[in-house]
Amino acid sequence: MKVLVVGANGQIGKHLVSFIQEHDSLEAKAMIRKQEQVSFFENLGAETAVVDLEDGIETIAKAAEGVDAVVFTAGSGPSTGKDKTILIDLDGAVKTIEAAKAAGVKRFIMISSFDTRREAIQAANSSFAPYVAAKHYADEWLKRTDLDYTIIHPGMLTNDQGIGQVSAAVEVERGEIPREDVASVIVASLENNQTIGKEFQVVGGTTSIKEAIDSI
């Protein structure tokens, strides 16, 4: 399975490309924004596509040609303004969904926020609410397509070393999860067709990632 990782230069994305390249039955194509980011992925043996999420659907679709799955791990980041939240976390996600459809790619995994229900938008503080709203509508757009989607809602992300154990379900208690473990959850979801058409929250826990994803 060839996987286009959108936002590959992000912290989850780098772990994900590395894990995919170590996997016998998976192959990564890293979609990145800057030419100077190419060498990191070439050293992993991964193909690259230099594309900005503010480009058009056609440009993103060209990057998605010939792949079997798309994983959206991109994000505008906490240091940008509300404009980038809309352009990347909402419009960039929607354009990637539409690009996957245009390229004939059925499998799509979205890395979302922990809780993107409408109630979560209302409960969020004023600085975080635009991000939750953007993720809410991107998730809703994906769910209304005929793509084989999975939406993953990770808890608070950390840079701790992954432990390979999580708690995953439609709803779990709020908690933290290493980015490295999120990448492993994505790989497990790609390998498990039972996750198609589902969304789930995931935090650090005591169940192996494979077992946790098998039970979704």
Side-chain angles (χ1 to χ4, degrees):
M1 182 189 292
K2 190 171 186 178
V3 183
L4 179 68
V5 180
V6 178
N9 200 59
Q11 295 179 83
I12 292 174
K14 282 184 171 179
H15 285 305
L16 179 57
V17 173
S18 296
F19 290 164
I20 288 174
Q21 290 303 100
E22 293 168 359
H23 202 288
D24 290 340
S25 61
L26 299 175
E27 177 187 356
K29 182 176 183 180
M31 191 174 117
I32 50 182
R33 193 163 58 91
K34 298 177 181 178
Q35 187 65 38
E36 53 264 37
Q37 297 165 350
V38 166
S39 60
F40 175 87
F41 300 98
E42 285 185 340
N43 289 337
L44 295 173
E47 186 182 348
T48 60
V50 180
V51 178
D52 193 314
L53 275 173
E54 294 185 45
D55 292 342
I57 292 171
E58 302 81 5
T59 305
I60 302 170
K62 187 172 182 181
E65 288 177 358
V67 307
D68 305 294
V70 173
V71 178
F72 188 89
T73 69
S76 57
S79 60
T80 57
K82 296 176 184 178
D83 56 338
K84 291 297 182 184
T85 300
I86 295 298
L87 291 173
I88 302 302
D89 298 292
L90 176 53
D91 193 47
V94 170
K95 286 192 294 188
T96 303
I97 293 165
E98 292 304 301
K101 289 161 62 177
V105 183
K106 287 287 288 182
R107 190 73 172 102
F108 197 106
I109 293 185
M110 176 77 81
I111 308 306
S112 189
S113 185
F114 182 72
D115 189 350
T116 59
R117 293 172 295 185
R118 172 152 297 286
E119 297 81 5
I121 303 172
Q122 297 166 331
N125 62 45
S126 59
S127 62
F128 193 56
Y131 173 74
V132 180
K135 299 303 286 185
H136 168 81
Y137 285 107
D139 291 351
E140 287 300 311
W141 190 282
L142 178 57
K143 286 189 280 188
R144 296 181 189 191
T145 69
D146 63 353
L147 296 178
D148 293 337
Y149 72 83
T150 303
I151 302 173
I152 300 173
H153 299 274
M156 184 175 294
L157 300 169
T158 74
N159 288 324
D160 296 336
Q161 184 174 356
I163 61 170
Q165 294 183 313
V166 298
S167 174
V170 173
E171 287 190 45
V172 298
E173 293 275 339
R174 283 187 178 272
E176 297 181 344
I177 183 169
R179 289 176 171 87
E180 190 174 357
D181 280 339
V182 175
S184 295
V185 167
I186 297 168
V187 172
S189 298
L190 284 167
E191 294 185 296
N192 191 332
N193 286 340
Q194 288 184 177
T195 63
I196 290 173
K198 296 179 181 177
E199 58 182 316
F200 59 89
Q201 296 176 336
V202 60
V203 296
T206 58
T207 305
S208 74
I209 288 173
K210 184 182 186 307
E211 186 181 345
I213 299 309
D214 284 348
S215 66
I216 291 298

